[in-house]
């Protein structure tokens, strides 16, 4: 799908809004496999086997191309996984990987689902892209049944290397100042991050939105240079230092 742009001269960069940015097929829409697997294992343990508990409905909100849901599917056998995204291009790709993928938004009318109709929500690498994360968690809480599970992952602003970068006066990894290019930080991809969380801020924010925090774990980041990956994996033992935050909460 070609993003809509305003008329420009050949010397000017295209003018794009957030929706145009996320509808661009070149924008990454998948999380790393290791953290998708870690989230799926946490959710599988929370839900229990479908043969024992009965099939549960799991929403992958912001499913992107369906990679995370497809990664989780073998661990959630018997449960029904439904992908939800606002990008038509992402949904077309998701439908090649998972049986159910529907269009929906967390704001501007909300998800096309009844209240208390879901048993769990996967929310992988989405919250950092949102203008209004408060409304997003309100909508997730609406569609979750009481006691339903929220499995949320997001980059950690206070990752071990970001602490060092800030001391050196360098923009932290994951933070972005432009939708057009990288400025002042390591990395080459613009991915549209608007908000970043520390472990403490994420706990407090989710709890204030009507959820009980069950656990917070750390996960590695695939973009860490290879020589530093052993250190990145070690940092997962202390979630406040880890690259990625994996939070399990339950709707109160």
């Amino acid at each position: 799908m070609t993003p809509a742009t305003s008329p420009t001269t050949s010397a000017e960069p295209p003018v794009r809004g957030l929706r145009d940015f996320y509808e661009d097929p070149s924008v990454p829409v998948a999380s790393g496999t290791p953290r998708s697997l870690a989230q799926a294992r946490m959710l599988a343990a929370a839900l229990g086997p479908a043969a024992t508990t009965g099939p549960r409905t799991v929403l992958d909100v912001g499913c992107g191309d369906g990679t995370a849901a497809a990664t989780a599917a073998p661990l959630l056998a018997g449960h029904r996984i439904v992908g939800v995204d606002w990008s038509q291009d992402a949904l077309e790709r998701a439908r090649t990987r998972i049986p159910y993928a529907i269009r929906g938004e967390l704001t501007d009318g909300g998800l096309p689902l009844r209240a208390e109709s879901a048993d769990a929500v996967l929310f992988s690498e989405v919250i950092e892209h949102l203008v209004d994360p408060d409304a997003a968690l309100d909508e997730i809480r609406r569609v979750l049944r009481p006691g339903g599970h929220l499995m949320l992952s997001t980059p950690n602003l206070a990752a071990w290397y970001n602490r060092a970068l800030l001391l050196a006066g360098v923009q932290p990894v994951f933070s972005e100042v432009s939708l057009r290019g990288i400025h002042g930080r390591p990395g080459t991809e613009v991915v549209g991050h608007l908000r970043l969380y520390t472990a403490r801020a994420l706990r407090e924010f989710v709890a204030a939105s009507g959820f009980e925090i069950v656990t917070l774990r750390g996960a590695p980041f695939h973009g860490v240079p290879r020589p530093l990956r052993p250190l990145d994996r070690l940092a997962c033992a202390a979630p406040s230092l880890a690259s990625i935050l994996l939070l399990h909460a339950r709707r109160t």
Side-chain angles (χ1 to χ4, degrees), residues 50-125:
T52 302
T53 65
R56 306 297 188 188
T57 298
V58 178
L59 303 180
D60 184 1
V61 177
C63 67
D65 64 5
T67 299
T71 299
L75 298 175
L76 300 171
H79 297 300
R80 182 177 182 234
I81 303 176
V82 180
V84 185
D85 208 285
W86 78 351
S87 168
Q88 292 287 15
D89 178 79
L91 286 171
E92 287 177 11
R93 286 180 275 170
R95 288 176 183 132
T96 68
R97 295 183 171 95
I98 54 178
Y100 306 104
I102 61 175
R103 194 171 194 277
E105 302 188 27
L106 288 163
T107 55
D108 298 330
L111 299 170
L113 298 158
R114 299 189 312 275
E116 301 183 6
S117 59
D119 298 285
V121 167
L122 282 169
F123 203 40
S124 304
E125 320 289 311

Side-chain angles (χ1 to χ4, degrees), residues 153-208:
S153 67
T154 192
N156 182 10
L157 174 61
W160 59 276
Y161 41 80
N162 280 344
R163 300 182 186 214
L165 289 172
L166 276 171
L167 284 174
V170 178
Q171 186 85 5
V173 175
F174 308 124
S175 66
E176 297 184 322
V177 299
S178 170
L179 292 179
R180 299 179 184 175
I182 299 298
H183 303 288
R185 71 158 175 86
T188 58
E189 283 187 329
V190 178
V191 292
H193 290 173
L194 304 179
R195 300 184 182 275
L196 290 175
Y197 300 81
T198 63
R200 179 177 178 177
L202 185 64
R203 281 179 175 271
E204 292 183 4
F205 171 61
V206 173

Side-chain angles (χ1 to χ4, degrees), residues 216-243:
L216 180 68
R217 298 180 184 174
F221 173 49
H222 64 272
V224 169
R226 188 173 297 277
L228 297 177
R229 289 179 186 176
L231 184 57
D232 193 42
R233 288 192 292 271
L234 281 174
C236 293
S240 63
L241 295 174
S243 287

Side-chain angles (χ1 to χ4, degrees), residues 42 152 198-200 202-203 213-218 236 238-240 244-248:
M42 290 168 68
L152 183 157
T198 63
R200 179 177 178 177
L202 185 64
R203 281 179 175 271
I213 308 303
V214 177
T215 188
L216 180 68
R217 298 180 184 174
C236 293
S240 63
I244 306 295
L245 302 172
L246 302 178
L247 182 121
H248 173 201

